[in-house]
Amino acid sequence: MLERLAIPTEALPGALRHFAARSQNGDRLCEGVILSTCNRTEIYAAWGSPRPVDTVPDILSVLPPALVDGLSAHSGLTRADLASRMFRYDGWPAAEHLFRVVCGLDSLVVGESQVAGQVARAYAAAQKAGTAGIVLSTLFQSAIRGGRRARARIGIGRRASNAGAAALDRAEAAAGPLASSHAVVIGTGEFGRIVVHELRRRRVSHIDIVSRSAERAASVAERWGCSGHGMTDLPRLAEECGIIVSTVGAETRQVTAELVGAAMRVRAGRGLVLIDLAVPRSIAPEAAAVPGVHLLDIDSLKTGRPDGPPSPEELRVEQSIGEDLAELALRMKELFVRPVIGELWRKAAAIRASVLERARGRLSTLDDESWAEVEDLAASIVARLLHDPSTRLRAEAGNGHAEAFSEALRELFHI
């Protein structure tokens, strides 16, 4: 199901465009960020105006209808099937969930740091698409900073491994130590490089890197002191190696049951460990039925995650998240008063411009330098007059008085 709902990087712009709709007066209707990794597909939405009301409300009613239709077509699931497969958080529980994700508390391996980069890239993609507005930008920037603090101050990820390392741990438990073995890594991206690093740390003697581009594989392999190959070499490598780790999702399986079966027939009884860390999967699940083959994938890592009391680091991160959410609450309350402050400054600027325009005729004897000083003087007076009420309004927003003070400004200044 995660495979069917995964949104690859190249498809993100198309999915995000459903958040780009504007109202008739040009206001953004809904902000959106999409986070899709090997372990999750999550959609963050924030409506800038009252959202459409469904006649039959469901869990997906907070998303743009066109996006839901796109997910349905992409996954082959009906709207009802989608709704039954997904979870939803509203308001602060959604914010808390994102903080937990960034800190690695919701990962396959608690504290793993790769997810922080994935969240940052998802936010960057939304920024590029123009769908991350002031609300989600405030949320994601706060969460990313919070994740950095948790790792720097508490060290939640200091002793943590990652999904690749966890999979190799499981492989060693099933087939024995990997030291002096021969490994094949499919993929040259970030995840592939993480796996190569872990294999080297475990003193694997021979590592081959395989990619759809033989040139790319050779370039990456040269940096790591390994051998690079194109996909055409994979059948031969499967006959020789002891472990294959795939990190690249594909619409078609890169490692088929037929390829594995043919390799096992010439391996003289030597076992083969397959690790599939890709979404969509690139190793055929049917390969697990081939005698002598041990297959691990993302699902097996989920079931293998230990259940137990949280560590002291996890408890401290939970406390840190609570503090970060309190700080975020103040920043969100400030957002409530920004439009009022903006309108106040715009009205003052309009008055200043009007007064200066009338004064220009009466002060026609002034040269350009003197007139520039008059303009600077007018701007300085406006700025000093509005500084205190603007600062006070932001402070009162944090004290819970934003609405009352904003309404007072609207009445007093007719904005």
Side-chain angles (χ1 to χ4, degrees):
M1 189 56 56
L2 182 58
E3 285 182 289
R4 295 170 71 175
L5 289 171
I7 302 175
T9 302
E10 60 271 16
L12 266 183
L16 287 168
R17 66 180 173 83
H18 298 300
F19 289 103
R22 300 272 179 165
S23 66
Q24 291 183 345
N25 59 4
D27 292 336
R28 185 193 307 274
L29 293 177
C30 185
E31 303 177 32
V33 176
I34 297 176
L35 172 64
S36 187
T37 75
C38 66
N39 189 37
R40 69 186 70 250
T41 293
E42 299 182 348
I43 302 168
Y44 293 83
W47 286 86
S49 58
R51 65 174 183 257
V53 178
D54 284 354
T55 53
V56 183
D58 62 28
I59 198 171
L60 300 173
S61 63
V62 292
L63 299 179
L67 176 60
V68 178
D69 293 340
L71 283 174
S72 179
H74 172 70
S75 64
L77 300 171
T78 65
R79 184 187 180 97
D81 287 336
L82 277 174
S84 68
R85 301 284 184 175
M86 303 184 82
F87 66 89
R88 172 173 136 191
Y89 295 127
D90 291 316
W92 288 112
E96 181 180 5
H97 175 76
L98 178 60
F99 274 83
R100 291 179 58 84
V101 168
V102 176
C103 291
L105 296 185
D106 197 55
S107 296
L108 291 173
V109 178
V110 175
E112 63 98 2
S113 59
Q114 189 182 14
V115 69
Q118 293 167 332
V119 171
R121 287 191 290 274
Y123 171 53
Q127 284 183 302
K128 184 176 181 180
T131 62
I134 187 64
V135 175
L136 289 188
S137 289
T138 301
L139 170 61
F140 272 78
Q141 289 168 11
S142 296
I144 292 168
R145 280 197 304 270
R148 292 196 189 110
R149 282 197 296 267
R151 288 179 169 82
R153 299 178 184 176
I154 301 173
I156 181 63
R158 194 169 298 148
R159 293 188 299 273
S161 58
N162 50 64
L168 294 177
D169 287 342
R170 297 285 298 278
E172 290 189 313
L178 297 176
S180 302
S181 63
H182 178 184
V184 172
V185 178
I186 303 175
T188 57
E190 179 186 11
F191 218 161
R193 294 192 294 272
I194 288 174
V195 171
V196 171
H197 173 75
E198 286 293 331
L199 289 170
R200 289 170 63 90
R201 192 174 65 84
R202 294 163 196 256
R203 302 185 183 281
V204 172
S205 60
H206 187 177
I207 302 174
D208 288 301
I209 297 178
V210 177
S211 173
R212 283 186 285 265
S213 167
E215 293 77 11
R216 171 68 176 165
S219 174
V220 173
E222 184 179 5
R223 293 200 298 268
W224 283 93
C226 307
S227 301
H229 304 267
M231 293 300 299
T232 54
D233 288 343
L234 188 57
R236 174 180 61 80
L237 294 173
E239 297 174 359
E240 302 170 356
C241 70
I243 179 172
I244 297 176
V245 185
S246 179
T247 66
V248 179
E251 295 300 326
T252 57
R253 309 299 189 202
Q254 303 287 349
V255 181
T256 64
E258 291 75 18
L259 183 152
V260 173
M264 294 305 292
R265 286 193 288 273
V266 300
R267 290 175 61 88
R270 291 183 298 118
L272 177 63
V273 177
L274 304 176
I275 301 178
D276 195 346
L277 300 175
V279 176
R281 284 174 287 192
S282 61
I283 299 179
E286 296 79 11
V290 178
V293 171
H294 189 86
L295 174 62
L296 296 168
D297 58 15
I298 292 295
D299 285 338
S300 65
L301 293 180
K302 290 178 181 177
T303 57
R305 176 172 170 169
D307 293 322
S311 68
E313 288 85 0
E314 288 176 71
L315 293 176
R316 291 174 62 196
V317 170
E318 296 277 8
Q319 181 181 355
S320 177
I321 288 175
E323 295 168 357
D324 289 337
L325 287 173
E327 180 182 328
L328 176 63
L330 296 181
R331 297 190 66 201
M332 286 292 185
K333 288 175 181 177
E334 287 184 10
L335 298 186
F336 184 90
V337 303
R338 284 192 183 188
V340 179
I341 295 174
E343 285 299 319
L344 180 62
W345 280 80
R346 279 189 288 274
K347 181 164 186 176
I351 293 172
R352 184 194 70 208
S354 175
V355 170
L356 286 173
E357 184 179 1
R358 291 198 303 270
R360 184 62 165 161
R362 298 193 301 270
L363 301 174
S364 57
T365 58
L366 293 181
D367 57 27
D368 289 345
E369 184 177 350
S370 299
W371 179 249
E373 291 183 5
V374 171
E375 289 183 318
D376 289 344
L377 177 63
S380 178
I381 291 172
V382 169
R384 291 194 179 195
L385 279 173
L386 296 187
H387 176 266
D388 284 347
S390 299
T391 303
R392 181 70 184 277
L393 187 55
R394 291 190 183 95
E396 292 302 329
N399 294 331
H401 303 142
E403 189 168 2
F405 274 68
S406 296
E407 187 59 34
L409 276 182
R410 289 191 187 98
E411 288 294 327
L412 289 171
F413 291 93
H414 299 287
I415 55 177

